Amino acid sequence: QQVTSYQNYIAGVQDNLQSNPKNFWSYVKERKQVGEIPTDVSYREEKSTSPEAAANLFARFFETVHSSQDPTVPPEQLNELATYNINLPLLTVSVAEVKKALGSVDAAKGPGPDRIPPSVVKNCCSSLARPVTSIFNRSLSEGAFPSEWKVASITPIHKSGSRAKVENYRSISILSCLAKVLEKLLVDHIYPSVKNIISEYQHGFMKQRSTTLNYEKSYDLSGKPTLVMGDGDGTVNRRSLEACQYWNGQQKQPVHLQEFPGADHMQILANLAVMDRIVKVLLFE
């Protein structure tokens, strides 16, 4: 009975891979037996002796990779910048807008420093919409962003190498859910007024722009680069894919390259052969 239940669970994970990929990655994480961040970590010559000491070592390391100074622009460059007359609309948000934004948050995300789970915000969006709208509009009218929303929880994410060295971690910032909702609403209100003055070469954090379009827009000293078309599925060029083989033996991490003839790129997660290979790679089999 236990074997049958496990087989049914695996079959369910595979069948619902496209609609619920998080179950698949939870299964992979469980198989890899990736535990929590160890408390016995070291940074340079110092070692932690408690969870608090470990947190302090992580904080010291992450502080070295982030600049606390505001970037400065020479005055002569400021004078060369173009000026624009932008008529921004009166920034207020409606209850309907806020309700829609609250209902669209990712309930699977963890809470920020305010400890309010996004799942609560999402499931209670109807009840929260009116009071949250009042808070948002007061913040906008007074030009004050709540100081509590400027604080982020920093979580170390292991990259590679020894898990006992803090240098092998990168940091991610987890903001309060309501702060992110307000920022999204502001972008929706401001973007239509500024989109026409954003450079055509700006591709980061822009909708409907990609690295491919950025490449096509780029220039060098010899003029516009030449695009060389090759065999591929429209997303990954075969020549670029095969270039990965160069790194075999050049780095300590293994390079995996395997062809799946006939696999549809847009349905790649539904291909059992592909998913079986991914699981084996992730589990180091």
Side-chain angles (χ1 to χ4, degrees), residues 5-151:
S5 299
Y6 179 75
Q7 291 175 340
N8 291 337
Y9 166 72
I10 296 299
V13 171
Q14 292 179 340
D15 293 340
N16 298 308
L17 188 56
Q18 287 184 299
S19 61
N20 192 0
K22 291 183 179 179
N23 275 354
F24 168 75
W25 293 114
S26 296
Y27 167 74
V28 171
K29 183 178 180 180
E30 181 182 353
R31 287 290 304 274
K32 290 180 69 174
Q33 296 181 346
V34 177
E36 297 181 352
I37 300 171
T39 56
D40 297 330
V41 295
S42 63
Y43 176 51
R44 294 177 178 172
E45 300 298 326
E46 188 174 350
K47 295 184 178 180
S48 63
T49 56
S50 65
E52 182 179 358
N56 289 332
L57 290 183
F58 277 111
R60 284 172 49 192
F61 169 64
F62 292 147
E63 188 177 15
T64 65
V65 297
H66 295 284
S67 174
S68 59
Q69 297 181 349
D70 294 331
T72 57
V73 180
E76 59 273 15
Q77 292 187 15
L78 288 175
N79 295 331
E80 296 176 359
L81 295 177
T83 57
Y84 301 94
N85 292 321
I86 303 175
N87 295 319
L88 290 177
L90 181 63
L91 294 179
T92 59
V93 293
S94 66
V95 175
E97 286 179 295
V98 173
K99 179 182 177 181
K100 181 180 179 181
L102 294 177
S104 64
V105 302
D106 189 349
K109 298 292 185 180
D114 58 7
R115 311 309 299 169
I116 301 177
S119 58
V120 172
V121 174
K122 183 181 183 71
N123 294 326
C124 300
C125 62
S126 297
S127 301
L128 293 174
R130 190 168 297 278
V132 170
T133 300
S134 299
I135 295 174
F136 284 176
N137 283 330
R138 181 169 181 178
S139 173
L140 294 172
S141 64
E142 296 183 359
F145 195 77
S147 57
E148 290 81 359
W149 290 353
K150 299 178 183 179
V151 179

